């Protein structure tokens, strides 16, 4: 395949330097791509697509009339991160999750950070996902965020910036694992020679984390029973739920498979009720227990929250983590890191304007067509305005929404995400990418080397969400620096 | 104030009762289902609080079918009882019996508190939950307009203005049983201009919060010897406002007065939604009948 006609244009390119040279850590891939003729490349792509289709690597798009389930498009050209870059990123992620976990403990106990006026209290006390019912509640081992998927992007200079923290039910780890398996099959020789760090430990590590946070009442000698709780087959990430349960060798259950008796959770089985100690729940707080949160929800388990409150079952992630991935709280994360750890943040935030602060709001309303405006509590690319590309009517509608409910909005200048060579109709073209590494917090904090690189497949698009036309790539963290 | 020692039911409805009372309360809730139901999970907030105005001397909660009962304090320090009935049943009875000693207010004089003190961060942050919209009390335009009508001059003194707001509601809203239901929101009350004690309390919360007075909902009982025509129960609801430098102070907009020793407080919250006396879920047909019987007897 030809790499000579590839244009980096005015973007930071992952593979090419500004003057068109190949970055050293991409040399092996460049050599391999050069030696590949287009037909061979297409053949490999077809094989991978078929394999994904057969094993059901899909996701679901809501509000779409073309059927709900889709193949998650996979691009064959892997994204490569040299070890020195990765080590810094890893330190930054561990620092961030440590601080956020301390923040959650504080918010649900003494609220020192509010009393010290680091964060104006109304932002937290009025946050949609602040669970006042759990004030004073102690979670096992003091861990709130067991699983975290942090979205990183790179700016024009190639600096890694944090775009958002996903602290509730981050998804995508299964694609990280499937992508690796697919790439190994497509390029076995290249993969072997490149000395890539492994990702397949993720399932075992996740299982260890879940076992580690089992209820103290269980004692340390008993092996805890762990299950994965899914909303069911219609959920956008059902494939992932099934995949991870299989990887860990634990049962996958729906709400109706669990019952609560005397503040203990049990799973219905053909041989009777089996106690459940730890639940990896892929259901949001609001739907966990209809007795407590939403009486209209059929997804959850009546009585579950009481079992949790009584300390008889552990939930991962804990209830109430959503307050820390509110996009307004994101703005304060650098201050949160300094406050709890006394350190400077290793990974920087994207500069953010808070619509509830008068000066920021004036600026946002004035410059809306130049900004990216986001709802504070939406995910998956929903509830977002890309000012420079949006039709006027949409900009006006957001202006009204921001005026009506400023607490619910933040704005950022669009970041021209880094680009990566990606197979397109006419060979390789640059497409924008981000990176979601997965962090697990158990006895120690581990970051799986790699993560999910999402790529905006539409030309020029900056939206990488799978629900909005995004695909993904395998992500290689090298053992060395090239 | 010392009142003449006269028989209780000859007292005027408006004169505050200042003598300590010993009250025996029974609160029975009975659900009859159509056919069997199971997996019933419930919470009850039925235990009277103990504070400077009342002591809960005895409390007993009985569930039929019999089942273990647990309790925990919720965010607002109310005692919540929790129980489940997993096996099939066609009726569920929740019966709370309590014995409460009520005492007259003997705190210091209520201080004058102006706007500035209310707007201080210590009040705004500490009482955040009681200053903003909640499920039943949405601080929207209709509520806001009513708040201005109730207090056209704006806030000058917290307690004086609380009473003015309460009197405004009492004067302009008609106590009409069955004109609303347990799910009626404050904004609908503004439109209907009528309601029951729960609605009056919600509306008053909305008006107080609009004027930046921290205000919370109180559920409880009332030794009711002069029933408003149509008033059927001894269950009652009123509100409390926070007066900086003094503490929480109750006001009952339905009867246009400060709660006295006839009142028994069960729980406090942002609104009714936080402190439903009995609530939960079950599996089975949705049709059921609910009977509630509440009695408050004076023992001494």
């Amino acid at each position: 395949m030809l790499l000579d006609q590839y244009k980096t244009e005015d973007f930071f390119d992952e593979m090419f330097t500004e003057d068109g040279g190949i970055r050293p850590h991409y040399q092996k891939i460049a050599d391999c791509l050069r030696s590949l003729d287009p037909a061979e490349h297409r053949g490999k792509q077809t094989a991978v697509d078929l394999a994904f289709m057969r094993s059901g690597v899909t996701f679901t798009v809501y509000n779409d009339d073309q059927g709900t389930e889709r193949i998650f498009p996979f691009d064959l050209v892997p994204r490569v991160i040299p070890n020195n870059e990765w080590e810094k990123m890893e330190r930054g992620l561990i620092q961030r999750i440590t601080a956020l976990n301390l923040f959650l403990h504080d918010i649900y106990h003494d609220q020192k950070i509010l009393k010290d006026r680091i964060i104006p209290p109304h932002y937290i006390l009025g946050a949609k996902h602040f669970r006042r019912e759990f004030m004073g509640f102690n979670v096992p081992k003091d861990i709130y965020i067991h699983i975290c998927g942090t979205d990183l992007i790179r700016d024009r200079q190639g600096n890694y910036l944090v775009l958002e923290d996903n602290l509730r039910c981050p998804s995508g780890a299964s694609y990280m694992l499937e992508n690796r398996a697919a790439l190994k099959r497509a390029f076995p020789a290249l993969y072997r020679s490149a000395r890539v760090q492994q990702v397949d430990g993720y399932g075992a590590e996740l299982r260890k984390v879940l076992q580690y946070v089992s209820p103290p009442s269980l004692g340390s000698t008993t092996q805890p029973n762990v299950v994965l709780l899914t909303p069911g087959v219609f959920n956008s990430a059902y494939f992932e739920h099934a995949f991870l349960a299989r990887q860990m060798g634990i049962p996958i259950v729906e709400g109706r498979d669990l019952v609560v008796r005397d503040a203990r959770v049990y799973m219905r089985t053909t041989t009777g009720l089996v106690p459940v100690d730890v639940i990896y729940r892929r259901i949001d707080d609001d739907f966990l227990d209809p007795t407590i949160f939403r009486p209209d929800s059929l997804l959850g388990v009546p009585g579950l929250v009481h079992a949790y409150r009584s300390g008889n079952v552990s939930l991962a992630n804990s209830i109430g983590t959503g307050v820390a991935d509110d996009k307004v709280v994101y703005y304060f994360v650098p201050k949160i890191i300094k406050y709890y750890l006394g350190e400077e943040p290793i990974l920087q935030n994207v500069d953010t304007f808070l619509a509830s602060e008068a000066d920021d709001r004036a600026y946002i309303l004035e410059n809306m067509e130049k900004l990216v405006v986001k709802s504070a509590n939406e995910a998956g690319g929903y509830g977002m305005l890309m000012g420079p590309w949006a039709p006027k009517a949409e900009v006006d509608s957001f202006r009204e929404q921001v005026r009506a409910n400023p607490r619910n909005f933040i704005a950022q200048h669009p970041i021209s995400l880094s680009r990566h060579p990606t197979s397109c109709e006419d060979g390789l073209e640059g497409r924008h990418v981000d990176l979601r590494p997965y962090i697990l917090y158990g006895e120690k904090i581990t970051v799986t080397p790699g993560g999910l690189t999402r790529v905006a497949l539409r030309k020029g698009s900056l939206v990488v969400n799978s629900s909005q036309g995004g695909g993904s790539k395998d992500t290689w963290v090298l053992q060395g620096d090239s | 104030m010392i009142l003449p020692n006269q028989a209780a039911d000859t007292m005027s409805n408006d004169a505050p009762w200042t003598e300590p009372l010993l009250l025996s309360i029974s609160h029975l809730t009975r659900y009859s289902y159509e056919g069997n139901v199971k997996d019933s999970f419930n919470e009850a907030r039925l235990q009277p609080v103990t504070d400077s105005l009342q002591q809960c001397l005895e409390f007993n909660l009985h569930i039929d079918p019999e089942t273990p009962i647990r309790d925990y304090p919720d965010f607002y320090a109310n005692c919540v009882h929790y129980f489940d009935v997993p096996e099939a049943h066609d009726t569920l009875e929740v019966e709370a019996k309590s014995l409460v000693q009520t005492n007259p207010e003997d705190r210091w004089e209520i201080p004058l508190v102006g706007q500035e003190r209310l707007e201080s961060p210590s009040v705004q942050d500490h009482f955040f939950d009681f200053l903003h919209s909640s499920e039943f009390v949405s601080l929207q335009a209709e509520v806001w307009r009513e708040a201005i009508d109730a207090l056209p001059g704006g806030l000058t003194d917290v307690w004086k203005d609380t009473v003015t707001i309460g009197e405004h509601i009492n004067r302009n809203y008609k106590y009409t049983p069955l004109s609303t239901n347990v799910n009626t929101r404050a904004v609908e009350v503004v439109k209907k201009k009528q309601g029951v004690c729960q609605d009056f309390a919600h509306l008053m919360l909305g008006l107080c919060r609009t004027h930046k007075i921290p205000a919370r909902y109180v559920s409880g009982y009332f030794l009711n010897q002069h029933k408003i025509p149509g008033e059927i129960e001894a269950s009652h609801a009123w509100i409390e406002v926070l007066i900086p430098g003094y503490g929480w102070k109750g006001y009952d907009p339905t009867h246009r007065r400060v709660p006295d020793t006839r009142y028994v407080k069960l729980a406090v919250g942002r609104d009714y939604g936080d402190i439903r006396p009995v609530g939960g879920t079950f599996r089975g047909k949705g049709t059921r009948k609910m009977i509630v019987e509440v009695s408050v007897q004076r023992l001494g």
Side-chain angles (χ1 to χ4, degrees):
Chain A
M1 301 231 332
L2 288 177
L3 294 175
D4 313 338
Q5 278 145 35
Y6 184 83
K7 295 188 191 66
T8 58
E9 291 160 317
D10 200 15
F11 299 101
F12 183 90
D13 195 275
E14 296 287 339
M15 185 163 172
F16 291 93
T17 58
E18 241 167 272
D19 51 18
I22 307 261
R23 295 183 194 277
H25 51 279
Y26 271 96
Q27 193 57 53
K28 285 204 174 78
I29 291 177
D31 295 344
C32 170
L33 288 173
R34 280 206 184 89
S35 71
L36 209 65
D37 68 68
E40 213 176 335
H41 187 89
R42 269 198 302 278
K44 285 179 190 292
Q45 184 73 52
T46 313
V48 169
D49 289 350
L50 271 175
F52 272 34
M53 175 83 96
R54 268 200 301 274
S55 53
V57 187
T58 59
F59 69 97
T60 306
V61 178
Y62 299 120
N63 314 325
D64 189 292
D65 46 13
Q66 298 172 31
T68 56
E69 252 186 286
R70 305 232 187 115
I71 292 286
F72 195 27
F74 173 69
D75 182 73
L76 274 183
V77 189
R79 189 244 191 98
V80 184
I81 300 168
N83 191 47
N84 55 0
E85 254 173 40
W86 173 255
E87 278 179 346
K88 183 181 167 202
M89 210 187 306
E90 189 181 29
R91 278 201 314 280
L93 292 168
I94 290 175
Q95 178 194 52
R96 202 169 169 102
I97 196 176
T98 307
L100 285 169
N101 200 72
L102 289 167
F103 167 72
L104 283 166
H105 174 91
D106 186 26
I107 286 303
Y108 289 112
H109 290 82
D110 299 335
Q111 304 192 328
K112 291 199 197 87
I113 197 166
L114 306 186
K115 288 171 187 151
D116 289 341
R117 323 294 304 173
I118 308 296
I119 303 180
H122 67 91
Y123 282 130
I124 303 302
L125 303 176
K128 183 176 170 196
H129 297 290
F130 173 59
R131 291 277 169 221
R132 45 180 54 67
E133 307 89 313
F134 284 93
M135 283 298 294
F137 180 72
N138 294 316
V139 299
K141 308 279 201 296
D142 232 351
I143 302 173
Y144 286 83
I145 314 156
H146 310 90
I147 301 113
C148 173
T150 302
D151 289 343
L152 300 172
I153 57 174
R154 297 181 87 173
D155 63 13
R156 211 177 285 262
Q157 288 72 44
N159 301 310
Y160 287 97
L161 303 173
V162 177
L163 188 63
E164 61 183 58
D165 303 285
N166 297 287
L167 307 173
R168 281 173 277 172
C169 297
S171 60
S174 61
Y175 303 125
M176 162 180 81
L177 300 171
E178 282 285 9
N179 288 356
R180 175 59 53 86
L183 207 105
K184 276 186 191 171
R185 279 196 301 270
F187 295 103
L190 170 65
Y191 178 78
R192 265 196 310 279
S193 70
R195 299 199 305 134
V196 180
Q197 298 191 33
Q198 305 280 330
V199 294
D200 12 335
Y202 182 82
E205 192 59 42
L206 175 56
R207 191 185 159 132
K208 261 192 349 215
V209 166
L210 296 170
Q211 288 174 338
Y212 179 69
V213 297
S214 65
S217 56
L218 193 66
S220 52
T221 48
T222 320
Q223 184 83 325
N225 285 334
V226 183
V227 300
L228 185 152
L229 175 61
T230 175
V233 295
F234 296 109
N235 184 266
S236 68
Y238 183 74
F239 159 76
E240 166 150 315
H241 305 161
F243 179 91
L244 289 176
R246 205 163 56 232
Q247 285 268 316
M248 291 188 276
I250 64 172
I252 179 169
V253 297
E254 292 182 24
R256 59 188 172 190
D257 299 321
L258 298 180
V259 294
V260 176
R261 296 278 181 270
D262 201 18
R264 281 229 53 180
V265 181
Y266 296 87
M267 173 173 54
R268 299 180 210 267
T269 73
T270 47
T271 52
L273 295 180
V274 174
V276 170
D277 307 303
V278 182
I279 301 176
Y280 175 30
R281 48 90 170 223
R282 298 293 301 253
I283 294 184
D284 280 338
D285 288 356
D286 278 344
F287 299 94
L288 272 178
D289 181 346
T291 3
I292 304 293
F293 298 127
R294 293 189 42 163
D296 53 333
S297 164
L298 298 173
L299 299 176
V301 185
L304 175 59
V305 167
H306 280 288
Y308 177 65
R309 201 194 297 278
S310 310
N312 293 332
V313 69
S314 302
L315 295 175
N317 291 347
S318 298
I319 290 179
T321 55
V323 65
D325 71 5
D326 186 309
K327 292 192 175 65
V328 170
V329 174
Y330 161 88
Y331 171 89
F332 292 98
V333 174
K335 292 180 182 180
I336 288 175
I337 292 173
K338 271 182 226 159
Y339 182 75
Y340 294 107
L341 304 176
E343 298 170 5
E344 290 300 316
I346 298 167
L347 292 167
Q348 305 302 316
N349 266 10
V350 176
D351 288 337
T352 300
F353 303 93
L354 295 182
S356 39
E357 302 288 326
D359 293 353
D360 282 17
R361 180 165 62 249
Y363 182 84
I364 293 171
L365 292 172
E366 189 89 339
N367 295 284
M368 196 151 247
E369 45 289 295
K370 294 183 207 145
L371 295 169
V372 178
V373 183
K374 296 176 177 174
S375 310
N377 288 296
E378 297 274 351
Y382 297 99
M384 188 164 98
L385 172 82
M386 305 284 283
W389 297 275
K392 187 168 177 306
E394 206 186 327
V395 176
D396 291 342
S397 141
F398 262 79
R399 197 171 274 127
E400 280 317 301
Q401 293 180 49
V402 169
R403 277 209 189 96
N405 186 5
R407 165 63 180 82
N408 201 32
F409 291 94
I410 62 152
Q412 296 162 340
H413 284 288
I415 302 286
S416 55
L417 310 187
S418 63
R419 295 208 312 189
H420 195 290
T422 302
S423 348
C424 300
E425 297 254 311
D426 311 313
L428 294 180
E429 286 181 22
R431 289 288 184 271
H432 295 290
V433 293
D434 79 347
L435 174 63
R436 178 181 287 187
Y438 294 92
I439 308 145
L440 295 173
Y441 193 155
E443 197 167 359
K444 56 186 194 317
I445 301 174
T446 57
V447 189
T448 305
L452 184 66
T453 293
R454 293 183 299 177
V455 48
L457 293 173
R458 282 188 219 126
K459 196 181 179 81
S461 167
L462 286 167
V463 185
V464 297
N465 302 85
S466 52
S467 50
Q468 321 266 328
S472 75
K473 290 171 165 293
D474 189 16
T475 309
W476 290 3
V477 174
L478 302 184
Q479 287 168 24
D481 295 338
S482 63
Chain B
M1 178 164 59
I2 297 166
L3 281 174
N5 187 10
Q6 57 191 146
D9 44 8
T10 62
M11 281 175 122
S12 124
N13 192 35
D14 281 293
W17 287 33
T18 55
E19 62 192 303
L21 298 180
L22 186 62
L23 299 171
S24 162
I25 300 150
S26 146
H27 187 152
L28 173 74
T29 309
R30 183 190 291 116
Y31 298 103
S32 311
Y33 305 99
E34 189 187 321
N36 277 338
V37 304
K38 57 179 187 168
D39 285 343
S40 174
F41 290 85
N42 304 278
E43 281 192 345
R45 285 172 171 81
L46 291 169
Q47 178 170 328
V49 304
T50 290
D51 61 14
S52 64
L53 295 176
Q54 65 180 51
Q55 285 156 283
C56 178
L57 303 171
E58 282 172 28
F59 177 74
N60 191 290
L61 185 65
H62 181 256
I63 313 293
D64 185 24
E66 215 171 317
T67 183
I69 303 170
R70 292 159 202 279
D71 62 79
Y72 70 92
D74 72 9
F75 182 50
Y76 304 108
N78 304 306
C79 178
V80 185
H81 289 93
Y82 155 68
F83 56 90
D84 51 57
V85 184
E87 68 271 16
H89 55 286
D90 58 9
T91 57
L92 174 67
E93 263 185 32
V94 182
E95 187 177 28
K97 286 184 186 290
S98 38
L99 188 63
V100 178
Q101 166 83 54
T102 61
N103 307 308
E105 177 78 81
D106 69 344
R107 269 186 289 183
W108 55 97
E109 207 172 311
I110 298 174
L112 297 174
V113 178
Q115 182 104 24
E116 207 170 300
R117 183 84 187 275
L118 275 189
E119 282 174 359
S120 74
S122 64
V123 173
Q124 292 292 310
D125 297 342
H126 198 129
F127 301 103
F128 184 93
D129 278 3
F130 304 117
L131 282 162
H132 293 87
S133 292
S134 55
E135 188 185 353
F136 282 76
V137 184
S138 155
L139 304 185
Q140 60 194 75
E142 292 86 344
V143 174
W144 180 79
R145 275 196 288 271
E146 190 67 15
I148 303 297
D149 287 349
L151 211 57
L155 187 124
T156 50
D157 169 53
V158 171
W159 180 241
K160 183 175 79 74
D161 293 340
T162 298
V163 174
T164 307
I165 290 170
E167 287 174 350
H168 170 89
I169 293 171
N170 190 275
R171 197 168 50 242
N172 294 295
Y173 288 75
K174 193 165 178 289
Y175 187 93
T176 317
L178 306 175
S179 61
T180 55
N181 61 49
V182 293
N183 293 314
T184 301
R185 306 304 205 240
V187 62
E188 297 165 53
V189 181
V190 174
K191 291 175 189 155
K192 288 189 148 134
K193 293 274 181 255
Q194 56 184 348
V196 296
C197 59
Q198 175 183 322
D199 306 309
F200 285 19
H202 281 150
L203 176 59
M204 187 160 179
L205 294 176
L207 305 193
C208 289
R209 290 177 190 174
T210 303
H211 285 290
K212 296 206 164 71
I213 305 172
R216 63 185 186 186
Y217 185 92
V218 184
S219 69
Y221 306 110
F222 171 52
L223 177 63
N224 196 351
Q225 293 174 322
H226 297 276
K227 286 185 179 137
I228 302 175
E231 194 179 24
I232 38 171
E233 284 171 20
S235 276
H236 196 42
W238 59 97
I239 69 134
E240 286 179 346
V241 293
L242 187 277
I243 303 165
Y246 184 80
W248 292 101
K249 175 80 181 167
Y251 189 87
D252 173 4
T254 308
H255 295 100
R256 202 165 70 89
R257 67 170 161 238
V258 174
D260 54 30
T261 54
R262 287 168 291 179
Y263 288 68
V264 173
K265 189 202 286 190
L266 269 184
V268 295
R270 286 169 295 183
D271 57 34
Y272 174 76
D274 275 342
I275 51 173
R276 291 179 167 85
V278 182
T281 60
F282 60 91
R283 280 180 213 275
K285 276 195 201 156
T287 41
R288 61 173 178 183
K289 278 208 314 253
M290 183 177 79
I291 296 168
V292 180
E293 288 166 15
V294 179
S295 83
V296 179
Q297 304 282 333
R298 180 179 177 183
L299 300 185

